[in-house]
Amino acid sequence: MDNKRQIVRDNYARIASGIAEAAAKSGRKPEDIAFMAVTKTVDPVLVNEAIDCGIQLLGENRVQEWQGKKDAYRAGVPVDFIGALQSNKVKYLMGQIRLIHSVDRMSLAQEIDRQAEKHGLVQDILLEVNIGGEASKSGIAPSELPALLAQVGTLPNVNVKGLMTIPPPCSDTRYLEAMEELFLRTKESDPERMQILSMGMSDDYAAAIEHGSNLVRVGSALFGARDYSKTK
Ligand SMILES: *Cc1c(COP(=O)(O)O)cnc(C)c1O
């Protein structure tokens, strides 16, 4: 485990400097970009190593896995929810999750609104866009965004903070460009709600930042390849 912790330290330093470099290229400061550690399948010991390195944000995919691990995390780092979310699990997130990235339907936004009201809070969310139009992926089509933004805008206990996407694996930057364009276009008419563009993972975080992302979600480049056999 000590060796693995050292690897996380080395990875963290490398990625943080990659983020700083990409930020500079796009005229921003490193602190303008949030660096999220994606923790799925990762031992909490290694998550805590990333926290010691200075990680700003944790990203959780599965409600059950997170519930089993969260008490082992060193306190003080905000947690975002980034995975596919069933409406009946929303209640477990209330008051504990800074931002839900994966809202892709009105029925889910309505359940978040209902639960947030129950807990006396307003929940920040992102709308997930399926920028590659892949049938296998969640997220709305870009053409559906204005309607969903308008609908979600009627919910008093939900605040839209921006957009999230998981582009298809691709050797060029066409999807990053398309998402940047969509985000900027939406921001023109809706600057209040278009603050966060959550885009970029292990393989494309630098390119994503150069295309306007200000939140990158990094898993395997930080923690190593995931071993799904150890989790449910
Ligand atoms: C797993 C996951 C990531 C991180 O993926 P890596 O390629 O390992 O960096 C980012 N975002 C979401 C939504 C994920 O599920």
Side-chain angles (χ1 to χ4, degrees), residues 199-215:
M199 175 169 83
M201 317 201 301
S202 288
D203 290 334
D204 64 353
Y205 62 87
I209 291 167
E210 288 174 39
H211 288 91
S213 168
N214 56 9
L215 192 163

Side-chain angles (χ1 to χ4, degrees), residues 38 40 61 82-83 164 166 201-203 217-221 226:
V38 175
K40 58 182 182 264
N61 280 78
I82 62 173
M164 181 271 227
I166 309 171
M201 317 201 301
S202 288
D203 290 334
R217 311 177 308 265
V218 183
S220 48
R226 281 184 284 278

Side-chain angles (χ1 to χ4, degrees), residues 103-105 127-131 138-142 144-146 148:
V103 178
D104 61 354
R105 56 197 187 276
L127 300 183
E128 181 175 350
V129 175
N130 184 353
I131 197 66
S138 47
I140 55 165
E144 296 170 324
L145 181 58
L148 187 58

